[in-house]
């Protein structure tokens, strides 16, 4: 896989467009006058983490991208602590921190305890190019990559349309969490 990190700006811009109105993203973002800047910071944070502990995917036409993470490989380092401090300070704000941590704890209860897995953190398509197959192509690549390393894939989505999209690829809903919106926890075991 080519190094996509050099295209960080393109990936961040795509994710900002794709997740601007996303319920799950907006749940963790402090909803103030800097909301759009906070979404951008979230996407920059996510790209940085996946660059070190996962993979970054970008379609050849630069219209879709995805971020995957190998949670079992993520280590606590000075760098990750700095990223987490920035996450709190620039993205959630202290006022949202408890709600965000509680949400993450509920989500993590559904993950396998002793089995490594691939986490599909974000897959985003430029809104002008949705339903053109570019997201499907990326998801197929992610599924193939997970198969090569023999790992199940876990993800969450707050969109019922996305649930149907993922189900076409063999994902199942294994839990529905309520946070003022429904968050569908999904997985593809094989």
């Amino acid at each position: 896989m080519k190094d996509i990190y050099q295209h960080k700006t393109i990936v961040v811009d795509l994710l900002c467009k794709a997740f601007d109105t996303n319920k799950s993203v907006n749940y963790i973002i402090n909803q103030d006058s800097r909301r759009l800047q906070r979404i951008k910071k979230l996407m920059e944070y996510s790209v940085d983490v996946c660059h070190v502990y996962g993979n970054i995917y970008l379609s050849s036409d630069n219209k879709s991208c995805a971020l995957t993470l190998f949670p079992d490989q993520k280590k606590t380092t000075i760098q990750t602590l700095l990223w987490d401090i920035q996450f709190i300070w620039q993205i959630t704000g202290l006022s949202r921190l408890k709600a965000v941590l509680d949400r993450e704890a509920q989500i993590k209860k559904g993950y396998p305890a002793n089995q490594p897995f691939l986490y599909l953190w974000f897959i985003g398509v430029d809104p002008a190019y949705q339903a053109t197959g570019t997201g499907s192509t990326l998801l197929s690549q992610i599924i193939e990559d997970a198969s090569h390393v023999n790992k199940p894939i876990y993800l969450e989505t707050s969109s019922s349309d996305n649930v149907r999209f993922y189900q076409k690829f063999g994902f199942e809903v294994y839990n529905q969490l309520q946070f003022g919106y429904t968050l569908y926890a999904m997985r593809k075991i094989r």
Side-chain angles (χ1 to χ4, degrees), residues 1-53:
M1 180 182 308
K2 65 181 182 177
D3 182 20
I4 303 300
Y5 192 70
Q6 64 184 326
H7 302 292
K8 178 180 177 180
T9 303
I10 294 169
V11 172
V12 168
D13 288 346
L14 272 171
L15 292 172
C16 287
K17 286 180 197 174
F19 287 89
D20 177 38
T21 60
N22 181 274
K23 294 173 191 172
S24 183
V25 165
N26 280 287
Y27 181 84
I28 65 171
I29 299 295
N30 192 352
Q31 299 294 303
D32 60 12
S33 62
R34 296 182 51 232
R35 185 185 72 82
L36 294 176
Q37 294 159 319
R38 292 178 190 279
I39 290 175
K40 183 176 181 183
K41 290 292 184 187
L42 170 64
M43 299 312 171
E44 290 171 345
Y45 165 87
S46 304
V47 169
D48 288 342
V49 170
C50 289
H51 174 65
V52 176
Y53 299 109

Side-chain angles (χ1 to χ4, degrees), residues 6 20 46 51 59 62 65 70-71 93 96 121 159 161 165 168 178 184:
Q6 64 184 326
D20 177 38
S46 304
H51 174 65
S59 63
N62 292 347
C65 62
F70 295 106
R96 297 285 315 136
W121 197 346
S159 166
D161 289 341
F165 170 74
K168 290 178 191 174
Q178 298 300 318
Y184 303 92

Side-chain angles (χ1 to χ4, degrees), residues 22 33 83-84 110 131 136 146 156 172 184:
N22 181 274
S33 62
W83 285 337
D84 291 345
S136 295
E156 295 84 39
E172 65 173 343
Y184 303 92

